Amino acid sequence: VATRHNPIDSRLAGDFAYDLLNSVPPYGVLFTYGDNDTFPLWWAQEVDGIRQDVTVVCLALAQTEWYVKQLRDNPTRPFDEARAPAIWKGKAGPRPTWPLHTMTNAQIDQFTSTGTVLKDPQPVPVGPGFYTLPANQFINPNQIVLIRVLQENVGKRPVSWSMTTGRDFKGLNPFILQRGMAFELQSTTPDSTSPDIDSRRVDGTALDVKTTEALAWHTYRYAGLLDATEQDVENLEPTARGMTYNLGVPFTQLALAYQARGDREKMLANLERASRLVSDPNIKDALRQLQLEPFTGITDSQRADSLKPRRADSSAPPRR
């Protein structure tokens, strides 16, 4: 039975936070979903001093007036070049001096206390595209917060969603580029002709292969999972197992990218790494088949099952 005395279980949340914070460039804004993908990040920033320059926006708390005001009033902290991983060294622009948003207290009090239901879809201009609010649905306060943060920061500082928030970008999907465990909004559509971009994705979100590879192989930490047994992973408590699944997704996606390029060696290396992080029979079956048979690739069902990150509010283990 896994306990907090288990070396993996006791380190995993901290390493997950390190990885997620380092998925975004210096002075990035990172949208998270709830407790499980936000509290570890705050611990990493406040206790361990990791990537304090990243502004974490918890969408669950963005339903409350006090938190929305706090987001506005908290200054952006400096990027620590000395402690930054190699991938981000020398890439910090000027420290943002503007507030994350400029909504007044009266505006915040109003939209957090009253709800709105639109009769028709409403596209709202955001950076290069439109964030479309749906019709016949309650518009939550956190959607207003997200829109205002995007409008006031896109083009001025990097803005990303954690993969734990899902993949519904309300019309902005063509401008989203996945880098490791984060989805970053770009100023233009990603260049599908670039050798660094894999745009042949099941969910339509382009993958920055070069950056994801640098993050997954040379930046991220894995709490001893790479040396663990399959039983060690099976014995993790459910929330921790969900974190391992999210850590394994970038490797699975890299495997699929290299499959499309016909690079069997790199595909196998990434799939093998994913199989060591995640107790998922689909990944392990695909790896066994590829090790024993000629190069046939990963099946559509295995592809679909291996591309689903865990939502931050889900404590269920990966599907079997």
Side-chain angles (χ1 to χ4, degrees), residues 202-311:
V202 171
D203 63 351
T205 306
L207 176 73
D208 184 336
V209 175
K210 182 178 180 181
T211 302
T212 298
E213 192 167 49
L215 287 169
W217 282 92
H218 305 296
T219 305
Y220 289 168
R221 299 172 178 173
Y222 298 104
L225 284 164
L226 297 177
D227 299 317
T229 66
E230 186 171 350
Q231 192 63 38
D232 290 334
V233 180
E234 288 280 356
N235 285 340
L236 290 172
E237 53 91 17
T239 300
R241 287 184 61 196
M243 289 181 180
T244 68
Y245 194 91
N246 287 314
L247 291 174
V249 166
F251 289 110
T252 306
Q253 293 171 324
L254 286 169
L256 297 172
Y258 283 115
Q259 174 195 353
R261 301 175 183 197
D263 190 329
R264 177 185 174 86
E265 182 179 352
K266 285 192 174 182
M267 183 189 67
L268 281 170
N270 281 283
L271 201 57
E272 191 274 336
R273 179 62 61 92
S275 73
R276 292 166 64 187
L277 293 171
V278 183
S279 180
D280 187 323
N282 291 294
I283 295 175
K284 297 182 187 303
D285 288 347
L287 179 61
R288 280 192 291 268
Q289 291 175 22
L290 291 168
Q291 288 171 331
L292 297 173
E293 299 173 4
F295 183 66
T296 56
I298 302 170
T299 68
D300 289 341
S301 62
Q302 290 164 337
R303 173 189 290 260
D305 283 337
S306 61
L307 284 176
K308 296 177 180 176
R310 300 292 103 183
R311 280 293 289 265

Side-chain angles (χ1 to χ4, degrees):
V1 177
T3 70
R4 291 301 177 190
H5 298 291
N6 181 310
I8 296 173
D9 199 30
S10 60
R11 292 169 48 197
L12 186 55
D15 281 3
F16 172 82
Y18 177 92
D19 298 347
L20 193 47
L21 287 168
N22 279 306
S23 296
V24 300
Y27 297 121
V29 177
L30 179 64
F31 292 111
T32 58
Y33 187 80
D35 297 357
N36 293 338
D37 65 344
T38 304
F39 292 168
L41 274 61
W42 286 343
W43 177 90
Q45 289 182 315
E46 303 307 322
V47 177
D48 216 17
I50 294 170
R51 292 300 307 275
Q52 294 183 336
D53 62 290
V54 175
T55 300
V56 177
V57 180
C58 175
L59 294 175
L61 289 176
Q63 306 278 66
T64 62
E65 52 83 20
W66 64 268
Y67 180 70
V68 181
K69 294 172 185 176
Q70 185 181 95
L71 287 172
R72 179 197 61 200
D73 297 339
N74 284 347
T76 303
R77 290 182 286 186
F79 175 70
D80 188 345
E81 181 86 20
R83 293 191 63 189
I87 190 172
W88 301 128
K89 287 186 182 295
K91 296 184 179 179
R95 179 180 172 185
T97 56
W98 59 92
L100 189 67
H101 67 80
T102 56
M103 290 182 286
T104 66
N105 286 354
Q107 290 173 323
I108 294 169
D109 291 340
Q110 181 178 15
F111 77 77
T112 54
S113 61
T114 61
T116 302
V117 177
L118 301 175
K119 292 183 179 180
D120 300 299
Q122 182 175 328
V124 181
V126 169
F130 292 88
Y131 184 99
T132 302
L133 293 170
N136 302 316
Q137 292 184 23
F138 182 81
I139 305 304
N140 290 313
N142 61 9
Q143 292 179 280
I144 307 300
V145 174
L146 187 147
I147 287 171
R148 285 298 296 265
V149 170
L150 289 174
Q151 288 180 324
E152 299 192 45
N153 291 276
V154 171
K156 298 167 67 177
R157 59 189 297 192
V159 180
S160 302
W161 287 257
S162 164
M163 66 161 53
T164 55
T165 63
R167 303 189 183 202
D168 183 4
F169 304 108
K170 305 295 185 186
L172 294 173
N173 296 66
F175 304 99
I176 299 295
L177 182 63
Q178 181 180 350
R179 287 176 166 153
M181 295 167 59
F183 299 101
E184 186 178 328
L185 181 61
Q186 307 294 296
S187 58
T188 61
T189 55
D191 182 5
S192 60
T193 65
S194 169
D196 294 333
I197 304 297
D198 175 26
S199 58
R200 293 169 289 190
R201 310 289 301 289
V202 171
D203 63 351
T205 306
L207 176 73
D208 184 336
V209 175
K210 182 178 180 181
T211 302
T212 298
E213 192 167 49
L215 287 169
W217 282 92
H218 305 296
T219 305
Y220 289 168
R221 299 172 178 173
Y222 298 104
L225 284 164
L226 297 177
D227 299 317
T229 66
E230 186 171 350
Q231 192 63 38
D232 290 334
V233 180
E234 288 280 356
N235 285 340
L236 290 172
E237 53 91 17
T239 300
R241 287 184 61 196
M243 289 181 180
T244 68
Y245 194 91
N246 287 314
L247 291 174
V249 166
F251 289 110
T252 306
Q253 293 171 324
L254 286 169
L256 297 172
Y258 283 115
Q259 174 195 353
R261 301 175 183 197
D263 190 329
R264 177 185 174 86
E265 182 179 352
K266 285 192 174 182
M267 183 189 67
L268 281 170
N270 281 283
L271 201 57
E272 191 274 336
R273 179 62 61 92
S275 73
R276 292 166 64 187
L277 293 171
V278 183
S279 180
D280 187 323
N282 291 294
I283 295 175
K284 297 182 187 303
D285 288 347
L287 179 61
R288 280 192 291 268
Q289 291 175 22
L290 291 168
Q291 288 171 331
L292 297 173
E293 299 173 4
F295 183 66
T296 56
I298 302 170
T299 68
D300 289 341
S301 62
Q302 290 164 337
R303 173 189 290 260
D305 283 337
S306 61
L307 284 176
K308 296 177 180 176
R310 300 292 103 183
R311 280 293 289 265
D313 61 335
S314 173
S315 59
R319 268 190 331 169
R320 292 192 175 278

